[in-house]
Amino acid sequence: MNGALERMLSRVLMVGVVLAALMCVSAMVWHLADGTDGTKPNTAGGIVRALGQGKPMALAQAGILVLVLTPMVRVLVTAVGLWAKGARIVALIAASTLAILAAGIAGVLGGGWGGAG
Amino acid sequence: MVLILVGSVAAGCLGALTGLGGGVVVVPMLVLGFGVELRLAVGASLVAVIATSCSSSAGFLRGGFVNVRVSTVLEFATAMGAVLGAVLSPWLPVRTISLLFCAVLFWSAWQTIRQRAERGLDGAGSGDPLAVRLGLDAAVPSRTGPVHYRVHRVIPGVLAMLGAGVLSALVGVGGGVVKVLAMDRLMRMPFKASTTTSNLMIGVTAAASAGVYFGRGQVEPMLAAPVALGAIIGAAVGAKLLAVVPVRKVRLVFAALVLATGVQLLVRTLMGGVE
């Protein structure tokens, strides 16, 4: 069934994929031109700081992070969309999944899994 | 970098066609073909699975193949299973479970090849009352127009997904395989609906694991970026192919990848890589 929710989810995934791809391609071209950056920031704060310092690897990491977060955003949109359609039980199931995933990702972005910016 | 990109295009295409994600291709390609350290290869492979899932699912959702409600219910069970597996792993005989799972994979590959006719497109038959209550019954496009199907055995399907989550946490593989098999065999969904719905779900499962790898610094940007790009391109091609490739051929490709997954896991288990 190709409904409004499916079209919305398709758009969310497409935006995430295109954005991540553009960032990764730009980072690869930048890195090939520059070739000296050995940094690998792995927290949100670390990525922002390294981007501010003009490090191409930070842009690649940001692109990968966008890709990793895209399915989570998709689950969020699913929960909202199903709730709006009156499918409350399935919407609550989606919200519960999101809570489990968000707890894990919050730990990662905050450096809670041993990441050191 | 170009060779990695090309290999990842193939992985993305196969992953999109079969609903398995393509990690089964990416890890051996990087480890055996390019001498990449296993943990970095797994990190890049998880990124490839997310890229495959997002890229192909965008097309599958537009095409009307994906059952969003089924994916939502099963995703929750998989996430719970992954947590359960992580908690229980110190007390479970992981090596024995891994060997048993290898046997299940080989049996599943054989059963998938043996099944010749598509079944389960029984719009008039009786489904599961729980599926009706949750609105899980849906339709899938075919050459002759949309075909309605009923979803069967929701609770066994959810339990299988719990098992898939536990297996993913314990042995690192099995998520996509168990998802497709549970929807195809237990819940009696059409094969293309099973693979495309699995494709949507594996993105979430892989994202949870990829986040951990990312935080540990085990996602190497100059490796993961070309792998992701290749997988995105390949998955878009695979999504186009799925609409025109006959179900029988998709089943054969699926069986071959399940077999490859089983062989990989068996070798890793016997070599002491699964403890």
Side-chain angles (χ1 to χ4, degrees):
Chain A
M1 304 230 232
N2 193 2
L5 177 60
E6 282 78 2
R7 286 197 299 276
M8 172 65 81
L9 295 177
S10 173
R11 251 179 254 135
V12 167
L13 293 177
M14 191 50 79
V15 167
V17 162
V18 170
L19 190 61
L22 284 175
M23 290 167 88
C24 286
V25 167
S26 307
M28 284 161 66
V29 172
W30 186 5
H31 178 71
L32 288 174
D34 186 29
T36 54
D37 181 18
T39 57
K40 195 170 68 177
N42 57 351
T43 63
I47 289 172
V48 172
R49 274 194 299 278
L51 274 175
Q53 293 161 4
K55 306 278 190 186
M57 288 301 93
L59 186 59
Q61 290 287 74
I64 292 163
L65 196 57
V66 166
L67 197 61
V68 171
L69 290 175
T70 298
M72 318 269 179
V73 177
R74 195 268 298 164
V75 176
L76 175 66
V77 175
T78 303
V80 174
L82 287 170
W83 185 270
K85 283 175 78 173
R88 302 287 157 91
I89 298 174
V90 188
L92 287 174
I93 293 172
S96 306
T97 306
L98 192 63
I100 296 171
L101 297 173
I105 287 291
V108 169
L109 294 181
W113 293 96
Chain B
M1 195 184 280
V2 174
L3 285 175
I4 290 176
L5 193 81
V6 171
S8 303
V9 170
C13 186
L14 286 172
L17 269 177
T18 57
L20 301 182
V24 66
V25 177
V26 172
V27 174
M29 174 187 82
L30 292 178
V31 173
L32 302 176
F34 296 93
V36 174
E37 199 183 324
L38 182 64
R39 64 195 173 93
L40 294 179
V42 173
S45 149
L46 287 168
V47 173
V49 172
I50 300 168
T52 301
S53 167
C54 293
S55 178
S56 63
S57 293
F60 293 147
L61 281 161
R62 270 198 314 276
F65 287 98
V66 181
N67 191 324
V68 173
R69 293 190 187 208
V70 166
S71 80
T72 303
V73 172
L74 299 185
E75 268 167 4
F76 175 69
T78 312
M80 287 300 292
V83 173
L84 201 64
V87 172
L88 293 179
S89 60
W91 296 283
L92 291 176
V94 178
R95 199 162 183 269
T96 308
I97 291 171
S98 183
L99 287 173
L100 284 173
F101 184 52
C102 287
V104 172
L105 287 175
F106 296 139
W107 178 81
S108 302
W110 170 241
Q111 288 295 315
T112 306
I113 294 169
R114 268 187 53 189
Q115 185 167 334
R116 291 189 173 274
E118 176 72 317
R119 52 96 190 93
L121 305 179
D122 48 356
S126 60
D128 184 332
L130 184 57
V132 176
R133 185 170 158 73
L134 296 175
L136 303 184
D137 297 341
V140 67
S142 75
R143 286 178 183 173
T144 54
V147 180
H148 292 270
Y149 63 90
R150 292 192 186 280
V151 175
H152 297 253
R153 301 192 197 105
V154 177
I155 297 293
V158 166
L159 291 176
M161 286 307 122
L162 265 175
V166 172
L167 272 172
S168 294
L170 290 180
V171 300
V173 298
V177 179
V178 179
K179 284 180 181 84
V180 175
L181 290 172
M183 284 184 277
D184 179 45
R185 309 236 139 228
L186 280 176
M187 303 173 80
R188 297 182 61 191
M189 287 168 58
F191 195 64
K192 285 187 179 179
S194 303
T195 60
T196 54
T197 304
S198 167
N199 247 314
L200 185 70
M201 291 162 59
I202 53 171
V204 171
T205 318
S209 304
V212 177
Y213 274 75
F214 191 91
R216 285 178 186 158
Q218 291 171 351
V219 175
E220 182 59 46
M222 271 304 106
L223 188 62
V227 165
L229 281 175
I232 286 170
I233 297 165
V237 174
K240 296 271 181 212
L241 278 177
L242 189 85
V244 292
V245 173
V247 173
R248 173 82 186 139
K249 287 190 177 162
V250 179
R251 278 190 184 278
L252 285 175
V253 177
F254 175 80
L257 280 190
V258 170
L259 201 62
T261 307
V263 170
Q264 266 188 49
L265 184 61
L266 185 63
V267 170
R268 201 149 58 87
T269 307
L270 295 177
M271 302 281 282
V274 175
E275 297 293 345

